[in-house]
Amino acid sequence: MVRPRYKRLVDNIFPEDPEDGLVKANMEKLTFYALSAPEKLDRIGAYLSERLSRDVARHRYGYVCIAMEALDQLLMACHCQSINLFVESFLKMVRKLLEADKPNLQILGTNSFVKFANIEEDTASYHRSYDFFVSRFSEMCHSSYEDPDIRTKIRMAGINGLQGVVRKTVNDDLQSNIWDPQHMDKIVPSLLFNLQSGEGTESRSPSPLQASEKEKESPAELTERCFRELLGRAAYGNIKNAVTPVLMHLDNHSLWEGKTFAVRCFKIIMYSIQSQHSHLVIQQLLGHLDANSKNSATVRAGIVEVLLEAAAIASSGSVGPTVLEVFNTLLRQLRLSVDYELTGSYDASGNIGIKIIKTHEERQLQEAVIRTIGSFANTLPTYQRSEVMLFIMGKIPVPGVHPALTNAGFQTTNMLTALPNSFLEPLLSFSLMEDPEVRLLVLTILLSVIDRHDNTPKFSSISIISDISVLKLKVDKCSRQDNLFMKKHAQQLYRHIYLACKEQSSGPQHFETLYTLLALISMELANEEVVVDLIRLALALQELAQTNEESLSVYNRCAVHALSAAYLNLICQLTTVPTFCQHIHEVIEMRQKEVPFLLPEDEKCSITGMLPASLEKLEGDVLFQQSKITEVLGGSGYNTDRLATPYIPQFTGNTHLSTLKCSIGPLSICPSKDIVIVSAVQQYRSVCVSSVDSVGMEEQERERRRQVVEKFQKAPFEEIAAHCGNTFPMFSLSALPRPPPSPSGTISSGYGQTQSRSVPVYEMKFPDLCVY
């Protein structure tokens, strides 16, 4: 019987000695025949498959290699409608090789599959399945072959095979979806297993195009390229299925604690996916953080560190539509960590947790959360940062403070919207807390919002500057909105600056920040009326340190004197009134000769023991004279009536917060440009600690209020008057005939000319205890 021609052509490509290789001339004849009669292609494939199976069974591996080479050439040459049937024979032979226990055959089959994967077929296949190849290539990625060189080759073949499967199926809608969990749960862990083996190699971003030839031969480097390609092909709906196995792998192998590998994985992910999908990865990380709420602090800290890196890579605004939910999740984790730290248990009911809670690990987690919130804030448009501040402040659980926060867009040119009353009032309330770190954070927040021309670094330390022109200050004319802001809130700001100087626990940083705050108000928000009020405030601070009714320490009194001197030196140069500057400089020169410890340059003298043991009441030329300043400024057109009236802080707002204590350790202030957000979160953590027993404190507060009301309802008038006089001396009966100064003082009718006005009762400021 005559053999069919296609069989004879196939037989002729095999030499008698397999070491001679493929008979090229006969291979060209077979290829020409296949192209001329494409209907015979499937039969050629079936016959080659039959021969290959027989040769594998007989261990004739030379002929096996020749058969695969012939198949490869036919695949590359034949792009026609009949190729689908030929591919079935081809894949059958590749599968036969992959199932063999010989590493060389497995590698040979993989190489042929990769060549096939790079072919773009003209027609789609409705029945082809790659499930076996996904499973087999994944298994090869985990090879544990004894010989390390062969093991490496098998693993690299597995990686190449997975890359080929992805290329072949990712854009073919007729194939089973490669993004399904059943496939991703095999592919992704296999890649991560090999990536981890080269953990010492730094990941390059965004792509490893500069790798040397030696590096390209490593499984880790090959894995990274394959992983990047996989992620780069992921569409919007496939991101979750690609990232979930990564999270599971890091969980199953306890890789969060080390953080290095987890961070490397997500750097690859964030740089590889399309930028508009970044927020999907972030949301998955946030959900995973919630799912691990009762896991160890090191695990949670690892997830948070990964979030931090992801936020830094994500493009601006990539947090997605649920901006506040991101911060809500992080704040919730911050609060949980504080609870764990204080209760020593992961169980809210108070039962001792199975795992031992380590305080220092919880603190490290809290710091990581705060840094991450700052990093997220950096990706937001500026108008959203104010909303985030309001959101965070609204979650601070301080007894007695329930601000009705409203949304306010942040605009650097308008302080009314940057610091709305709904945000400013609760913020300033925290400046009355006893914890010095919280007070410092409040001041830092104010600096960040008020400074619109980056002048803060120029006032970072208190000093006597002989010529402020060297600072090259950026000053714009005070706008109408800024004037309205100061008319509305100036007295609140002055009062809190004054009270901050009365705190015994204030240190050098507090006074430096207060000096910066005074300077920025002068730069950003000062009109003639504000300048006068600030000078009155500086003189009032001098009087505070002089009379020492608060029994301040010697250091604090000297620091207040230094603060007053440094600010008056600055403001006199800003007013450009020669006689005012002359008086200030004369006092400073006298202090340098007689009492140098009252100047800022000597503020650190307490460290060297150069401060006096006690500070007697000062007199004469070492003090700034209110009468002299009133005289020289009045001659230059300033409001002499206001200057002649000593500054008295108006007690308004929630004064009970001054007794609220926070028992926490030292907090570090983040130097990030997003200090506003970070500082607000620092406060949130601080107050979370203090509010563990908030229920009991609220009950005490209600009881105190009830007693106050009852006292003012039943006590005789003389007793009430005496109590008010003792509590608020400036509101004693002897002071009542003279009305308190108006917040706006006088009405200016022209430069240097003023017109007095009476103060309506409804504008007068009374203490809480005087109002029924």
Side-chain angles (χ1 to χ4, degrees):
M1 182 177 178
V2 180
R3 290 170 60 81
R5 185 182 179 191
Y6 73 90
K7 286 189 178 182
R8 285 185 279 118
L9 290 173
V10 169
D11 290 338
N12 290 338
I13 68 173
F14 293 92
E16 292 184 5
D17 185 356
E19 292 185 2
D20 294 339
L22 182 69
V23 180
K24 294 183 179 179
N26 292 338
M27 185 64 213
E28 291 177 359
K29 294 179 182 179
L30 177 61
T31 304
F32 180 77
Y33 177 78
L35 291 172
S36 303
E39 69 277 3
K40 301 291 186 178
L41 190 58
D42 59 324
R43 298 184 184 182
I44 295 174
Y47 183 60
L48 275 170
S49 177
E50 179 185 336
R51 286 203 54 151
L52 182 138
S53 299
R54 185 171 63 246
D55 290 334
V56 169
R58 296 175 180 177
H59 306 290
R60 300 169 64 181
Y61 301 127
Y63 288 123
V64 170
C65 294
I66 293 174
M68 292 308 300
E69 184 179 354
L71 284 168
D72 292 343
Q73 291 191 25
L74 287 173
L75 273 175
M76 300 299 294
C78 302
H79 295 277
C80 60
Q81 294 182 356
S82 302
I83 198 173
N84 277 332
L85 296 177
F86 177 73
V87 167
E88 294 305 318
S89 299
F90 169 79
L91 292 178
K92 181 180 179 181
M93 285 182 280
V94 171
R95 179 168 181 167
K96 187 75 174 178
L97 295 178
L98 293 176
E99 289 175 336
D101 57 358
K102 296 291 183 181
N104 290 340
L105 295 184
Q106 297 173 13
I107 296 171
L108 177 64
T110 302
N111 292 339
S112 292
F113 182 86
V114 171
K115 293 177 182 177
F116 160 70
N118 291 325
I119 296 175
E120 294 185 7
E121 299 181 53
D122 296 332
T123 57
S125 172
Y126 292 86
H127 57 280
R128 196 180 301 162
S129 173
Y130 296 97
D131 292 4
F132 165 80
F133 296 100
V134 171
S135 299
R136 184 58 182 144
F137 288 138
S138 298
E139 184 181 346
M140 291 170 63
C141 289
H142 292 85
S143 174
S144 57
Y145 201 85
E146 293 181 359
D147 188 321
D149 291 335
I150 296 177
R151 180 172 64 240
T152 297
K153 291 180 180 179
I154 294 175
R155 290 184 178 181
M156 293 183 69
I159 297 166
N160 277 319
L162 290 177
Q163 186 177 36
V165 172
V166 172
R167 288 179 178 176
K168 200 63 180 173
T169 60
V170 72
N171 294 322
D172 192 345
D173 295 334
L174 299 176
Q175 298 297 328
S176 59
N177 193 351
I178 196 65
W179 300 106
D180 285 345
Q182 62 178 359
H183 298 310
M184 285 291 107
D185 290 348
K186 296 175 183 177
I187 295 174
V188 173
S190 300
L191 296 177
L192 295 181
F193 173 78
N194 285 277
L195 187 64
Q196 189 179 354
S197 66
E199 192 172 350
T201 305
E202 286 294 329
S203 174
R204 288 175 300 279
S205 301
S207 60
L209 298 178
Q210 306 297 324
S212 67
E213 291 300 323
K214 184 177 180 180
E215 286 178 324
K216 288 182 179 179
E217 293 299 321
S218 70
E221 197 67 25
L222 179 62
T223 298
E224 183 172 336
R225 291 199 299 273
C226 180
F227 195 31
R228 288 180 183 277
E229 181 176 342
L230 173 69
L231 295 165
R233 294 173 179 269
Y236 181 89
N238 302 326
I239 295 293
K240 181 178 180 180
N241 288 348
V243 174
T244 298
V246 178
L247 300 174
M248 295 302 102
H249 182 83
L250 297 175
D251 285 345
N252 296 335
H253 297 276
S254 302
L255 295 173
W256 291 112
E257 284 102 332
K259 290 184 285 192
T260 304
F261 180 69
V263 168
R264 183 184 180 192
C265 287
F266 276 89
K267 276 187 174 181
I268 294 174
I269 292 172
M270 296 303 292
Y271 279 121
S272 301
I273 63 174
Q274 300 177 45
S275 59
Q276 65 268 28
H277 300 160
S278 297
H279 68 277
L280 297 175
V281 179
I282 292 172
Q283 288 175 355
Q284 274 192 267
L285 282 168
L286 289 169
H288 200 65
L289 181 60
D290 274 343
N292 284 272
S293 293
K294 293 188 177 181
N295 213 324
S296 65
T298 52
V299 171
R300 285 176 282 136
I303 300 174
V304 171
E305 288 290 346
V306 171
L307 270 168
L308 177 61
E309 294 292 339
I313 297 172
S315 59
S316 178
S318 67
V319 178
T322 56
V323 175
L324 294 183
E325 185 58 31
V326 171
F327 293 95
N328 190 38
T329 299
L330 291 171
L331 289 173
R332 181 167 60 251
Q333 291 299 322
L334 184 63
R335 179 59 185 268
L336 282 173
S337 178
V338 172
D339 289 343
Y340 294 158
E341 177 188 346
L342 294 174
T343 62
S345 171
Y346 291 119
D347 191 344
S349 62
N351 297 328
I352 301 300
I354 298 176
K355 298 180 180 179
I356 299 175
I357 293 179
K358 298 178 181 179
T359 301
H360 72 279
E361 291 181 352
E362 292 294 342
R363 282 298 179 91
Q364 291 173 357
L365 168 64
Q366 293 161 25
E367 294 292 344
V369 171
I370 292 170
R371 291 196 304 272
T372 303
I373 288 178
S375 181
F376 271 112
N378 191 35
T379 69
L380 296 177
T382 53
Y383 72 90
Q384 285 185 325
R385 299 185 190 182
S386 179
E387 296 177 354
V388 172
M389 281 191 291
L390 295 175
F391 179 74
I392 294 172
M393 296 300 297
K395 285 185 167 290
I396 297 182
V398 180
V401 177
H402 304 285
L405 298 179
T406 57
N407 292 329
F410 180 80
Q411 296 186 14
T412 56
T413 58
N414 192 340
M415 293 303 300
L416 284 172
T417 55
L419 280 176
N421 189 61
S422 59
F423 176 56
L424 181 63
E425 184 174 342
L427 180 65
L428 291 178
S429 297
F430 294 117
S431 71
L432 302 179
M433 298 177 72
E434 287 192 359
D435 190 292
E437 295 292 341
V438 175
R439 297 202 308 273
L440 189 58
L441 289 169
V442 170
L443 294 174
T444 309
I445 290 176
L446 289 174
L447 294 183
S448 300
V449 178
I450 292 175
D451 186 11
R452 293 168 290 181
H453 296 88
D454 297 323
N455 286 320
T456 297
K458 301 170 184 177
F459 302 107
S460 58
S461 60
I462 307 179
S463 60
I464 301 295
I465 305 170
S466 58
D467 183 6
I468 64 171
S469 62
V470 299
L471 298 179
K472 298 181 180 179
L473 299 173
K474 301 175 184 177
V475 183
D476 287 340
K477 184 178 180 181
C478 193
S479 66
R480 177 176 175 273
Q481 291 86 354
D482 291 342
N483 286 330
L484 291 174
F485 173 83
M486 290 305 289
K487 280 187 175 294
K488 188 175 182 181
H489 300 298
Q491 296 305 319
Q492 286 177 282
L493 292 172
Y494 302 153
R495 173 177 178 259
H496 286 82
I497 293 173
Y498 183 84
L499 294 180
C501 293
K502 294 172 65 174
E503 293 289 345
Q504 289 279 8
S505 57
S506 292
Q509 277 190 293
H510 292 82
F511 291 108
E512 289 175 358
T513 310
L514 287 168
Y515 171 69
T516 307
L517 180 58
L518 286 168
L520 289 181
I521 293 175
S522 306
M523 297 289 102
E524 301 283 351
L525 303 168
N527 52 31
E528 181 178 308
E529 184 177 307
V530 171
V531 168
V532 171
D533 280 340
L534 289 171
I535 294 172
R536 291 170 62 218
L537 175 60
L539 293 172
L541 293 178
Q542 176 181 260
E543 184 67 15
L544 169 66
Q546 176 78 344
T547 58
N548 197 26
E549 294 179 356
E550 301 294 326
S551 301
L552 297 174
S553 66
V554 173
Y555 168 77
N556 284 58
R557 293 176 66 189
C558 291
V560 174
H561 274 298
L563 171 63
S564 176
Y567 178 68
L568 286 173
N569 174 71
L570 173 67
I571 196 67
C572 75
Q573 296 183 64
L574 291 175
T575 58
T576 64
V577 178
T579 51
F580 182 27
C581 294
Q582 181 182 355
H583 172 66
I584 300 301
H585 293 158
E586 288 175 353
V587 175
I588 290 175
E589 290 176 3
M590 188 62 65
R591 287 190 179 187
Q592 290 173 338
K593 295 178 182 179
E594 299 185 4
V595 284
F597 45 81
L598 298 186
L599 293 176
E601 283 79 0
D602 278 24
E603 192 176 311
K604 299 180 180 178
C605 289
S606 58
I607 300 175
T608 60
M610 295 176 61
L611 286 177
S614 62
L615 192 62
E616 302 297 331
K617 188 170 183 179
L618 304 170
E619 295 179 352
D621 296 337
V622 297
L623 295 178
F624 302 101
Q625 303 297 326
Q626 181 164 353
S627 58
K628 179 67 174 178
I629 294 175
T630 301
E631 177 184 347
V632 296
L633 289 180
S636 297
Y638 284 84
N639 188 335
T640 55
D641 292 339
R642 292 180 62 79
L643 280 171
T645 306
Y647 171 76
I648 299 175
Q650 299 183 15
F651 285 80
T652 59
N654 297 308
T655 58
H656 71 280
L657 280 177
S658 61
T659 61
L660 188 59
K661 298 182 179 180
C662 288
S663 303
I664 59 173
L667 301 177
S668 61
I669 294 186
C670 177
S672 165
K673 59 184 176 180
D674 299 297
I675 188 65
V676 178
I677 306 292
V678 175
S679 299
V681 181
Q682 290 273 28
Q683 287 189 65
Y684 178 80
R685 180 180 71 172
S686 305
V687 182
C688 281
V689 177
S690 68
S691 64
V692 174
D693 298 323
S694 60
V695 175
M697 296 183 67
E698 289 179 358
E699 292 178 355
Q700 295 177 8
E701 178 67 17
R702 284 194 296 269
E703 177 63 19
R704 188 190 69 82
R705 290 178 178 273
R706 188 192 63 78
Q707 292 176 358
V708 170
V709 172
E710 183 178 351
K711 177 178 180 180
F712 277 80
Q713 286 176 340
K714 299 179 180 180
F717 175 76
E718 291 78 6
E719 182 180 344
I720 296 175
H723 177 77
C724 292
N726 292 332
T727 307
F728 302 99
M730 70 293 297
F731 288 109
S732 61
L733 292 178
S734 61
L736 288 179
R738 186 179 69 178
S742 166
S744 57
T746 58
I747 302 175
S748 178
S749 58
Y751 187 77
Q753 299 180 358
T754 59
Q755 176 182 355
S756 301
R757 69 165 187 172
S758 60
V759 181
V761 175
Y762 59 81
E763 287 190 8
M764 294 183 181
K765 302 293 184 180
F766 294 98
D768 295 342
L769 296 177
C770 292
V771 180
Y772 176 71

